Amino acid sequence: MRRIVAISERVQETPSTATLRFHDAPPARPGQFVMVWIPGEDELPMSLSYVGPSKGITVKRMGAASGRLTELAVGARLGLRGPYGNAFDPSPARILLVGGGSGTAVLAPAAEAARAAGGEVTAALGGTTAAEVLFADRLLAAGARVRIATDDGSRGHAGYVTDLAAELLAAEPFDAVWSCGPEVMMRKVLEAAAPRGVPVFCSVERQMKCALGLCDACALGPFHVCTDGPVFPAAALRPLEEFAGFQRDASGRRIFPRSPGERSRAG
Amino acid sequence: MRRIVAISERVQETPSTATLRFHDAPPARPGQFVMVWIPGEDELPMSLSYVGPSKGITVKRMGAASGRLTELAVGARLGLRGPYGNAFDPSPARILLVGGGSGTAVLAPAAEAARAAGGEVTAALGGTTAAEVLFADRLLAAGARVRIATDDGSRGHAGYVTDLAAELLAAEPFDAVWSCGPEVMMRKVLEAAAPRGVPVFCSVERQMKCALGLCDACALGPFHVCTDGPVFPAAALRPLEEFAGFQRDASGRRIFPRSPGERSRAG
Amino acid sequence: MAALAVKVGDLPFRNPLLLASGIWGESGDSLLGAYTAGAGGVVTKSIGSAPRAGYPNPTVEELGRCGFLNAMGLPNPGIDAYPVEIAHARAHGVPVVGSLFGHDAAEFARLAGRMEATGVVALELNLSCPHAEGLGAEVGQDPDRVREITRAVRAAVRCPVWVKITPNAAAPEELARAAEEGGADAITAINTVRGMAIDPTLRRPVLAHGLGGLSGPAIKPIGLACVWKIWEAVRIPVVGVGGIGSASDVVEYLLAGAAAVQIGTAVAFEGIGLFGRIAGELPALLDSLGFDGPAAAVGAAHAGRQPH
Amino acid sequence: MAALAVKVGDLPFRNPLLLASGIWGESGDSLLGAYTAGAGGVVTKSIGSAPRAGYPNPTVEELGRCGFLNAMGLPNPGIDAYPVEIAHARAHGVPVVGSLFGHDAAEFARLAGRMEATGVVALELNLSCPHAEGLGAEVGQDPDRVREITRAVRAAVRCPVWVKITPNAAAPEELARAAEEGGADAITAINTVRGMAIDPTLRRPVLAHGLGGLSGPAIKPIGLACVWKIWEAVRIPVVGVGGIGSASDVVEYLLAGAAAVQIGTAVAFEGIGLFGRIAGELPALLDSLGFDGPAAAVGAAHAGRQPH
Ligand SMILES: Cc1cc2nc3c(=O)[nH]c(=O)nc-3n(C[C@H](O)[C@H](O)[C@H](O)COP(=O)(O)OP(=O)(O)OC[C@H]3O[C@@H](n4cnc5c(N)ncnc54)[C@H](O)[C@@H]3O)c2cc1C
Ligand SMILES: Cc1cc2nc3c(=O)[nH]c(=O)nc-3n(C[C@H](O)[C@H](O)[C@H](O)COP(=O)(O)OP(=O)(O)OC[C@H]3O[C@@H](n4cnc5c(N)ncnc54)[C@H](O)[C@@H]3O)c2cc1C
Ligand SMILES: Cc1cc2nc3c(=O)[nH]c(=O)nc-3n(C[C@H](O)[C@H](O)[C@H](O)COP(=O)(O)O)c2cc1C
Ligand SMILES: Cc1cc2nc3c(=O)[nH]c(=O)nc-3n(C[C@H](O)[C@H](O)[C@H](O)COP(=O)(O)O)c2cc1C
Ligand code: FES
Ligand code: FES
């Protein structure tokens, strides 16, 4: 059922990214998403970046709808339905997070839950530039070890966050990798973890319309991201030509990226 | 919800009256009724004459639909919905039953429940003739005291069952009277009990269509028999000009009996 | 707190919650009972020229919480016997809307005169019962006949004439426009939606009539869409009906364009007390939504709406 | 135990449970997935001449267990891009029915030829989407246009042509008759029912398009009534759709006259596994009702039915 909430707090996380908080009762687990109705504009799937009684979403300005969302002020009203989808499983394990850009939004509450469950969390975060690295302080505050990579080298490692991930996987034992970001990034993480037998779980994004497993907009091979995901184990994703291969646009046409990492949300 | 049941047993109770038994799960209390669909014919409200796991109705042949019902054989299928309506309250009290004709059908399970609850039951039963007196043996078996009146004097008191009731009320203390039969009969019972302050509960019949409190077919003053009844306390019935005054036909027109006791089911 | 009084055209009601036709409308005591329970007004059962028993039972099928199917077959005592029931309700000050059905314009006009004489505050023409041969929707699906019947009734009486529209049409809003052209003072929308249920074991339709009309929560979206389109198509007020069971449902209908609403099936779910409950909840709900009364909400969901 | 194989006209399916158009029909993997899960066949999303993004979100509104409202706006990759999806499903032997939409007879005929070339086992003409301007029901509510479009498609292809009818009409059975006259091989009924939802707080329709189509349990009685009337009006087979979610629902549709059924909304309630579950339950249910297969039940609730 749809609920109308008012934005209770707004935090500008990075120049392109804002967190919107709201009081919302239905329980949710880290990894789940909601459908966010921006009246008069659109309705977008957004992972919950806060899952307590005061929930939150963390939105990166991309097109018209996400742009409008990041501009909303405290008090503005949104429609919400959900939470939908599955979640990360916070176990008392050694977890490596690999987040690209706003992908870190969904990893942060998962990391907090893992820490609360007694886990050890190492986060490798990527951003285009230092100012765009998301939630580094939040993760530090949660007791995670944080490593950073930026495309322009303005903070941490100069280059891809996947380099950091590969380095960490080579150097240390992990029980699981949780990743969210551009698919080319996640595919690289998959490949890096595979030979070591570390299970990887990726949060995947696709066009969404119904979020109910009906309309097929979010089809991903034999899966539907809205009901089978958004979190998928590596074993499910690796065989899919779609994964880091093609997306579908709103019409359902297959859209092949012109170059890997083309999408501006890339970490 | 409607259920289809097969008749598991059929008992010819009197020349005009048959009991049909069927296995039916939903719990019911004595006094409640079901809507009985006779496929291709009609759907009639019928009090439950048995309320255990094997339920039953006891039907007197009146018109086409009830006639068809009394002719059905074991194995024939009926549609049922309900149970609907309220019930008699079986308390460990001294109870006088006053039943006219097939009206005794609903009193029998109520008497059994009252006996099971430790009550004392006296039954005054009326019929046109000895063969038409219903459930006398069943009530005896349940440990009730049974008195009988017949119009033709072929068994027990020659005359109205209301004479018996008045006599019993004058002679003995009762905690409650439960009655079902023609309304002129029940009105007399009401009047006989009133000066003694004995509470009377009557099971009343009206045209029924929806049995859901929607269609108004069963309107009885400010009440609806299907949802407020069929069991009413005397205080509710006494002021109503309808009660033993007029019924409504299927069109909703007020139908005034030409003479008291005109209806052939009269006890 | 928002006051609840509304007007449908010039006709005032103490609140926008009317009892729908065919529910609790056979006896004067029931009409009075609905009003006493909190309804702002009541609509009678649809009345015809002669007594009519309606179809045999089963006349109703329950569909869980989604609603009911019914094929009552327009049972009614007829215009000769019914006035005593209206008189009883009128004697207690109940604003009664008299619902009528007939075969043609002449019969409607004759019935209208008789019904007006009982002191009803308005007439409602049932051009929309989905399961009566030669009556109801069968006459009400043709805009020309709707216009003609409305015109004949309009000429025969002085009181307001409401025309009740069927959703079983390609464009119910065109039927509403025809009624407006015929001189209707308001449109009531919707009547039940054609439907049926079949019993698998008995291999036959459940309702004795076969086809019936769907009512209750299942049809709320259908009723809202009709009211929405009709509001855009006509300038006379619309009375919304279909699946209403809560104060929030009422507000949805107001926003779609209904000046008042009618409630039927929900009475079976909750009892007649729902009128009092909703009337009790509505002022606070309207307040919280920023409306100073029902009238302020009417049509407010239409972008760039014109007050009408 | 009753075997489940059925034929719609001459066209065989391993069981009578088809995936309805617009559900899981965008990707070849999903079409295959529905078949693997137990569907007897699948219908594609409705495909048009050019890629179409559909309406902005919200495109769907949940109405509890009564169903959904949707106004997708016929999103589809277009007839140039879509064949790759069908090819994938066909490669695994899935019987695919290709659904089409267009503005006029010429466009439908052109699309039909293209679609037939993909190897679909039949075409389904969507003359019934309730919320697309100049498309769907807007062309499908006029018997003359239904006849004309059907005729043009019939002349352009060799495979069976099914025509999908809207319930948003005074008499959907007349639209079916027009399709039969135009040479249709089967009728699919029904598409969604026009409806809408309004958000009281935001004072606006929930769906971005405003109006949408109602599906799910709420419309089962409406679909049954349409199939019932259409079965009586035409001699070609009927494919029933609307609110089916159980084996018993399937039997109700068979008894009303459906030779096969389609399932849409229930996939959201239960997941695609419902095809396997219902296919698993149906034989025993048919047995217990005394039918030796689905075909024996078709139309069996019509009194004095003629096999057809
Ligand atoms: C389960 C799920 C969770 C999500 N969680 C978040 C979240 O927490 N925070 C967040 O900011 N966003 C999240 N998204 C993405 C979000 O729903 C929108 O897709 C995004 O905000 C862009 O929407 P838009 O309409 O503003 O832009 P659009 O108009 O759709 O796109 C703007 C630009 O971005 C490009 N683009 C959009 N999507 C993609 C893509 N998938 N791949 C490549 N290029 C693309 C377009 O080509 C275009 O150039 C999530 C998506 C899903 C499915
Ligand atoms: C709550 C309830 C419980 C009932 N329980 C039983 C029961 O346990 N056993 C049982 O046999 N019946 C019971 N009835 C009555 C039953 O529903 C039918 O009304 C009855 O069987 C006659 O139906 P019919 O269609 O066969 O006859 P109809 O065709 O309706 O009537 C046949 C004849 O009986 C006359 N008649 C019918 N009803 C009345 C009446 N109320 N007053 C005066 N004359 C009347 C008619 O005028 C006609 O002459 C109950 C009714 C109600 C409302
Ligand atoms: C049992 C029943 C009887 C009805 N009888 C009539 C009637 O006589 N005349 C009429 O115009 N509408 C009749 N209706 C339709 C209702 O007035 C109303 O339009 C419809 O039920 C939708 O509203 P609801 O969902 O609140 O019930 C009847 C509906 C029901 C359920
Ligand atoms: C999300 C959604 C999309 C649909 N898209 C189409 C479509 O593209 N073409 C079509 O003919 N019907 C479409 N329909 C209608 C369904 O095929 C079906 O006729 C209707 O939903 C009723 O069946 P159901 O109650 O089982 O869902 C769609 C329905 C839904 C819910
Ligand atoms: S968004 Fe519709 S199936 Fe996933
Ligand atoms: S039988 Fe319909 S209200 Fe009682």
Side-chain angles (χ1 to χ4, degrees):
Chain A
M1 293 295 84
R2 209 177 286 274
R3 312 175 296 289
I4 306 298
V5 299
I7 297 173
S8 58
E9 195 189 333
R10 183 190 178 286
V11 179
Q12 188 76 40
E13 304 285 0
T14 79
S16 69
T17 309
T19 293
L20 307 175
R21 303 291 296 268
F22 37 81
H23 303 293
D24 187 28
R29 290 174 300 141
Q32 290 192 293
F33 69 96
V34 286
M35 292 297 287
V36 181
W37 177 24
I38 313 134
E41 185 71 45
D42 206 339
E43 186 195 41
L44 294 177
M46 284 286 155
S47 297
L48 288 167
S49 58
Y50 291 89
V51 295
S54 163
K55 298 198 171 50
I57 55 175
T58 300
V59 187
K60 184 176 169 77
R61 191 187 333 111
M62 299 281 297
S66 54
R68 175 77 176 283
L69 205 44
T70 59
E71 286 155 16
L72 292 179
V74 167
R77 281 192 284 218
L78 296 172
L80 287 187
R81 55 190 180 100
Y84 296 114
N86 62 4
F88 291 104
D89 176 26
S91 48
R94 290 160 303 183
I95 290 161
L96 174 62
L97 306 182
V98 188
S102 66
T104 304
V106 70
L107 297 178
E112 286 164 353
R115 289 287 300 147
E120 278 172 36
V121 176
T122 304
L125 306 182
T128 48
T129 185
E132 285 295 347
V133 175
L134 189 63
F135 285 149
D137 293 346
R138 180 175 169 193
L139 287 164
L140 283 169
R145 191 162 45 124
V146 175
R147 301 280 306 272
I148 287 168
T150 51
D151 296 357
D152 64 0
S154 54
R155 185 170 173 197
H157 171 75
Y160 289 131
V161 67
T162 46
D163 302 339
L164 287 184
E167 217 176 82
L168 285 159
L169 281 163
E172 300 174 33
F174 288 99
D175 299 311
V177 180
W178 296 348
S179 184
C180 184
E183 288 181 16
V184 274
M185 178 202 95
M186 295 194 283
R187 173 119 3 231
K188 280 193 199 157
V189 172
L190 242 63
E191 301 309 336
R196 295 183 169 81
V198 184
V200 181
F201 297 86
C202 297
S203 174
V204 179
E205 296 180 7
R206 278 296 180 275
Q207 276 283 340
M208 281 195 186
K209 296 187 174 187
C210 71
L212 301 163
L214 263 188
C215 74
D216 222 28
C218 68
L220 176 74
F223 306 116
H224 289 93
V225 174
C226 65
T227 47
D228 300 313
V231 179
F232 291 93
L237 295 173
R238 285 188 78 189
L240 301 183
E241 54 161 336
E242 277 105 317
F243 185 63
F246 63 87
Q247 304 248 346
R248 289 174 193 274
D249 69 8
S251 80
R253 255 183 320 177
R254 301 173 176 204
I255 304 293
F256 297 85
R258 267 153 298 168
S259 67
E262 175 200 46
R263 190 178 170 194
S264 59
R265 291 177 62 211
Chain B
M1 294 295 82
R2 209 176 286 273
R3 311 175 297 290
I4 307 298
V5 299
I7 297 172
S8 58
E9 195 189 333
R10 183 189 177 286
V11 179
Q12 188 77 41
E13 306 284 0
T14 79
S16 70
T17 309
T19 292
L20 306 175
R21 303 290 295 268
F22 37 81
H23 302 293
D24 188 31
R29 291 175 298 141
Q32 288 192 295
F33 69 97
V34 287
M35 292 297 287
V36 181
W37 177 24
I38 312 136
E41 185 71 45
D42 206 340
E43 186 193 41
L44 294 177
M46 285 285 155
S47 297
L48 288 167
S49 58
Y50 291 89
V51 296
S54 163
K55 298 198 170 54
I57 55 174
T58 300
V59 187
K60 185 179 171 74
R61 191 184 336 111
M62 299 282 295
S66 54
R68 174 77 178 279
L69 206 44
T70 58
E71 286 154 18
L72 291 179
V74 167
R77 281 192 284 220
L78 296 172
L80 288 186
R81 53 190 181 99
Y84 295 114
N86 62 3
F88 291 104
D89 177 25
S91 47
R94 290 162 300 186
I95 291 163
L96 173 62
L97 306 183
V98 188
S102 67
T104 305
V106 70
L107 297 179
E112 286 164 353
R115 289 287 301 148
E120 280 172 33
V121 176
T122 304
L125 307 182
T128 48
T129 185
E132 285 295 349
V133 175
L134 189 65
F135 285 149
D137 294 347
R138 180 176 170 194
L139 288 165
L140 282 170
R145 191 162 43 124
V146 176
R147 301 280 306 272
I148 287 169
T150 51
D151 295 358
D152 64 0
S154 53
R155 185 170 173 196
H157 170 73
Y160 289 131
V161 67
T162 45
D163 302 340
L164 288 184
E167 217 176 80
L168 286 159
L169 281 163
E172 301 173 33
F174 288 99
D175 299 313
V177 180
W178 296 348
S179 185
C180 183
E183 287 182 17
V184 272
M185 179 202 96
M186 295 195 283
R187 171 112 21 223
K188 278 194 200 154
V189 172
L190 242 64
E191 301 309 338
R196 297 185 167 77
V198 184
V200 180
F201 297 86
C202 298
S203 174
V204 179
E205 297 180 8
R206 278 295 181 277
Q207 276 283 340
M208 282 195 185
K209 297 186 173 188
C210 70
L212 301 163
L214 263 187
C215 75
D216 222 25
C218 68
L220 175 74
F223 306 116
H224 289 91
V225 174
C226 65
T227 47
D228 299 315
V231 180
F232 290 93
L237 296 173
R238 285 189 78 189
L240 302 182
E241 52 161 337
E242 276 104 318
F243 185 63
F246 63 89
Q247 304 248 345
R248 287 173 194 273
D249 68 9
S251 80
R253 256 183 318 176
R254 302 173 176 202
I255 304 293
F256 296 85
R258 266 154 298 168
S259 68
E262 174 199 45
R263 189 177 173 196
S264 58
R265 291 179 60 213
Chain C
M1 290 267 271
L4 286 189
V6 295
K7 286 186 168 189
V8 176
D10 292 332
L11 192 61
F13 294 99
R14 66 182 180 186
N15 71 45
L17 315 173
L18 313 185
L19 178 72
S21 179
I23 284 83
W24 277 49
E26 187 171 286
S27 85
D29 267 323
S30 294
L31 293 173
L32 173 57
Y35 186 70
T36 309
V42 300
V43 185
T44 68
K45 231 175 163 55
S46 293
I47 304 298
S49 301
R52 208 180 130 102
Y55 300 129
N57 282 344
T59 44
V60 173
E61 172 74 347
E62 302 176 53
L63 305 166
R65 301 301 293 187
C66 289
F68 295 105
L69 273 173
N70 88 80
M72 309 307 296
L74 294 169
N76 81 98
I79 194 68
D80 293 332
Y82 195 68
V84 60
E85 311 295 344
I86 299 185
H88 181 69
R90 295 291 304 149
H92 291 82
V94 182
V96 179
V97 175
S99 172
L100 299 174
F101 73 93
H103 296 79
D104 54 33
E107 185 181 9
F108 265 106
R110 204 167 48 238
L111 283 165
R114 295 287 307 278
M115 184 59 96
E116 184 178 37
T118 66
V120 294
V121 298
L123 301 179
E124 184 175 273
L125 312 187
N126 177 357
L127 297 180
S128 43
C129 177
H131 47 69
E133 276 87 31
L135 294 165
E138 289 199 10
V139 298
Q141 285 169 335
D142 175 353
D144 293 336
R145 296 190 66 187
V146 170
R147 194 182 303 101
E148 181 201 346
I149 291 169
T150 310
R151 192 166 283 148
V153 171
R154 185 59 289 166
V157 297
R158 302 177 62 97
C159 70
V161 176
W162 301 0
V163 176
K164 188 167 177 185
I165 293 294
T166 178
N168 302 293
E173 52 276 20
E174 281 167 26
L175 301 172
R177 204 181 283 121
E180 182 180 42
E181 289 161 4
D185 298 282
I187 302 296
T188 304
I190 56 174
N191 210 311
T192 56
V193 181
R194 192 178 78 168
M196 92 185 292
I198 293 176
D199 187 88
T201 309
L202 302 179
R203 304 185 186 182
R204 58 163 70 236
V206 173
L207 300 178
H209 182 62
L211 295 177
L214 183 62
S215 67
I219 69 167
K220 195 186 82 175
I222 303 173
L224 274 172
C226 285
V227 168
W228 180 271
K229 293 294 275 187
I230 291 170
W231 190 87
E232 293 185 340
V234 303
R235 302 198 61 79
I236 52 178
V238 188
V239 177
V241 51
I244 296 172
S246 71
S248 170
D249 293 339
V250 173
V251 173
E252 273 195 76
Y253 267 95
L254 297 175
L255 291 169
V261 300
Q262 298 175 357
I263 301 179
T265 297
V267 169
F269 293 135
E270 185 178 337
I272 206 73
L274 105 166
F275 281 101
R277 179 184 62 80
I278 296 180
E281 290 171 9
L282 204 48
L285 178 59
L286 288 168
D287 275 353
S288 77
L289 297 171
F291 296 113
D292 64 5
V298 178
H302 292 261
R305 77 172 157 148
Q306 318 233 322
H308 103 264
Chain D
M1 289 266 272
L4 286 187
V6 296
K7 285 186 168 188
V8 176
D10 293 330
L11 193 61
F13 294 98
R14 65 181 181 187
N15 70 45
L17 315 173
L18 313 184
L19 178 74
S21 179
I23 284 81
W24 276 50
E26 187 171 287
S27 86
D29 268 323
S30 294
L31 293 173
L32 173 57
Y35 187 68
T36 308
V42 301
V43 186
T44 70
K45 233 176 161 55
S46 293
I47 304 298
S49 301
R52 207 180 132 102
Y55 300 128
N57 283 343
T59 45
V60 174
E61 171 74 346
E62 304 175 53
L63 304 167
R65 301 302 292 187
C66 288
F68 294 106
L69 272 173
N70 89 79
M72 310 306 297
L74 293 169
N76 81 98
I79 194 66
D80 293 330
Y82 194 66
V84 59
E85 312 295 346
I86 297 185
H88 181 68
R90 295 290 303 148
H92 290 82
V94 182
V96 179
V97 175
S99 172
L100 299 174
F101 72 92
H103 296 79
D104 53 34
E107 187 180 8
F108 265 104
R110 205 166 48 238
L111 283 166
R114 294 288 307 280
M115 184 59 95
E116 183 179 36
T118 66
V120 294
V121 297
L123 300 179
E124 185 175 272
L125 312 187
N126 176 356
L127 296 180
S128 43
C129 176
H131 46 69
E133 274 88 30
L135 293 166
E138 288 200 11
V139 297
Q141 285 168 334
D142 175 352
D144 293 336
R145 295 190 68 188
V146 170
R147 194 181 304 102
E148 181 200 346
I149 290 170
T150 310
R151 192 165 283 151
V153 170
R154 184 59 290 167
V157 297
R158 302 176 61 97
C159 69
V161 176
W162 301 359
V163 176
K164 187 165 176 184
I165 293 295
T166 178
N168 301 292
E173 52 276 21
E174 280 168 26
L175 301 171
R177 204 181 283 123
E180 182 180 42
E181 289 160 3
D185 298 282
I187 302 296
T188 303
I190 57 176
N191 211 311
T192 55
V193 181
R194 191 177 80 168
M196 90 184 295
I198 293 175
D199 188 88
T201 309
L202 301 178
R203 303 185 187 183
R204 58 162 70 235
V206 173
L207 300 177
H209 181 63
L211 295 178
L214 183 61
S215 66
I219 69 166
K220 195 186 81 174
I222 303 174
L224 274 172
C226 285
V227 169
W228 179 272
K229 292 294 276 184
I230 291 170
W231 189 88
E232 293 185 339
V234 302
R235 303 198 59 82
I236 52 178
V238 189
V239 178
V241 51
I244 295 173
S246 71
S248 168
D249 293 340
V250 173
V251 173
E252 273 195 76
Y253 267 96
L254 297 176
L255 291 170
V261 301
Q262 298 176 357
I263 302 179
T265 298
V267 170
F269 292 135
E270 185 178 338
I272 205 74
L274 105 165
F275 281 102
R277 180 183 61 79
I278 296 180
E281 292 172 7
L282 204 48
L285 178 58
L286 288 169
D287 274 353
S288 76
L289 297 172
F291 296 113
D292 65 4
V298 178
H302 293 262
R305 74 172 158 150
Q306 318 233 321
H308 104 262

